């Protein structure tokens, strides 16, 4: 799953707290009884039956269920000793495994490593609603590959890529491959955008100035400013320029932020593309605090709203929510007044996150419970006990899939 679990306290230290001047209605309280987990529908065999003798550690990093294909995917990783000394990076043996959502039985394993070939240094997964999984991988021999894996476990195709890249699924079902680019001696990053269809056909390609910060829906957000060099290396300028591209890979508009503005592009949930193409970008302004900027589909700046620096933000598809200290608030693009507010019971988790689920709802984790909320009004769908759950987990269609130690377990919710 979009693995964007961010430590709540990390926001508090990274982002300067801003004054929130919103007229709020009285918040509702999510006092629904915490639902204990029922007996599991099934528990899978061990996820690590193919553990290598020299593996230093094993782990599951992602779970993603696709009920339409009756499959639950698990990404597992084994730490492998670096024996060549040609790279300082750790080596991994990455495997995508599939289990039946009906029986829990193993269906297949796809290993991202050929016998006697290079190991992976990093991987990124993109899951489609129809079961195809795209996997980007950096390898220990300096190569980069893109795998398209069929729901049957066979490779649809594998492509060699010239540069380190990131991948994103777009609104029309195409896959964006964005090279990470390199900085020249003038501080300019040059990178390449490439779109592929599900058959691996290149739809279009475009060389750009800058690097991709976020790609989602029908928009691609690019940091386009030159960098400046100091004793710490290349640094972002204080008034960054953002370029926004569409599916044709043509620039639709750009925006030069005011001086002393920092745009967050560190992987935190701080940039969103709404269903209609509206773009939201979170920033921090020196001596002002956090502001969320909104641009309409044509690039017109709609507003800049001050938000609390300690809050977590997340898209609802048509608006956004903020979460802080157990309180979640819902906002629309049209109004800075919260449309709904909810106090969540329970203590904050060490790693608090607010994330969209595969079925279009919101999931918020607390220390001993997790909430599933309707994004349209924050009404509670489920509050379930997580004290006995392992990690990672996925939720879809009133069902939890959780890795507990070395197995995958399915829990239906009533």
């Amino acid at each position: 799953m979009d693995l964007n679990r961010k430590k709540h306290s990390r926001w508090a230290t990274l982002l300067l707290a801003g004054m929130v001047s919103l007229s709020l209605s009285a918040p509702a309280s999510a006092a629904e009884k915490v639902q204990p987990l029922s007996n599991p529908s099934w528990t899978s065999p061990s996820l690590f039956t193919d553990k290598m003798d020299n593996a230093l550690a094993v782990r599951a990093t992602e779970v993603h269920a696709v009920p339409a294909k009756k499959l639950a995917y698990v990404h597992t990783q084994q730490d492998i000793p670096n024996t060549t000394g040609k790279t300082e990076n750790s080596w991994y043996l990455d495997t995508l495994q599939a289990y039946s959502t009906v029986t829990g039985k193993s269906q297949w394993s796809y290993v991202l490593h050929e016998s006697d070939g290079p190991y992976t240094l990093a991987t990124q997964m993109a899951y489609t609603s129809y079961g195809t999984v795209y996997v980007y991988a950096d390898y220990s021999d300096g190569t980069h590959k893109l795998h398209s894996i069929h729901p049957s476990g066979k490779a649809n195709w594998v492509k060699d890529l010239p540069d380190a890249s990131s991948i994103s699924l777009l609104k029309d079902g195409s896959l964006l491959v964005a090279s990470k680019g390199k900085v020249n001696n003038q501080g300019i990053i040059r990178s390449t955008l490439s779109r592929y269809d599900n058959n691996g056909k290149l739809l279009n390609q475009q060389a750009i100035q800058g690097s991709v910060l976020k790609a989602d829906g029908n928009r691609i957000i690019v940091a386009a400013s030159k960098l400046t060099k100091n004793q710490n290396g290349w640094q972002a300028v204080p008034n960054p320029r953002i370029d926004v591209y569409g599916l044709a890979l043509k620039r639709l508009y750009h925006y030069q932020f005011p001086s002393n503005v920092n745009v967050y592009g560190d992987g935190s949930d701080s940039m969103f593309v709404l269903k209609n193409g509206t773009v939201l970008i979170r920033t921090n302004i020196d001596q002002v605090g956090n502001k969320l900027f909104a641009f309409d589909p044509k690039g017109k700046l709609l507003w800049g709203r001050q938000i609390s620096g300690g809050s977590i933000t997340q898209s609802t598809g048509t608006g956004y929510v903020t979460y802080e200290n157990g309180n979640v608030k819902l906002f629309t693009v049209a109004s800075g007044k919260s449309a709904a507010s909810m106090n969540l019971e329970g203590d904050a988790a060490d790693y608090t996150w607010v994330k969209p689920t595969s079925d279009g709802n919101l999931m918020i984790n607390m220390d001993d419970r997790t909430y599933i909320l309707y994004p349209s009004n924050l009404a509670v769908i489920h509050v379930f006990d997580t004290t006995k759950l392992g990690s990672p987990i996925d939720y879809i269609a009133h069902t939890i899939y959780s890795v507990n130690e070395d197995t995958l377990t399915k829990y239906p919710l009533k």
Side-chain angles (χ1 to χ4, degrees), residues 20 92 299 306 318:
V20 180
Y92 305 107
Q306 209 157 1
T318 57

Side-chain angles (χ1 to χ4, degrees), residues 8 11 282 308 310-314 321-329 331 342-349 352-354 364-367 371 373:
H8 182 55
W11 279 102
R282 183 172 182 164
S308 172
S311 65
I312 298 172
T313 50
Q314 185 56 256
V321 296
T322 63
Y323 169 87
E324 185 177 24
N325 297 327
N327 180 252
V328 57
K329 298 171 184 172
F331 297 89
M342 178 73 72
N343 287 324
L344 306 184
E345 296 187 346
D347 297 327
T352 298
W353 33 258
V354 182
I364 306 176
N365 71 313
M366 308 297 284
D367 184 54
Y371 288 85
L373 306 177

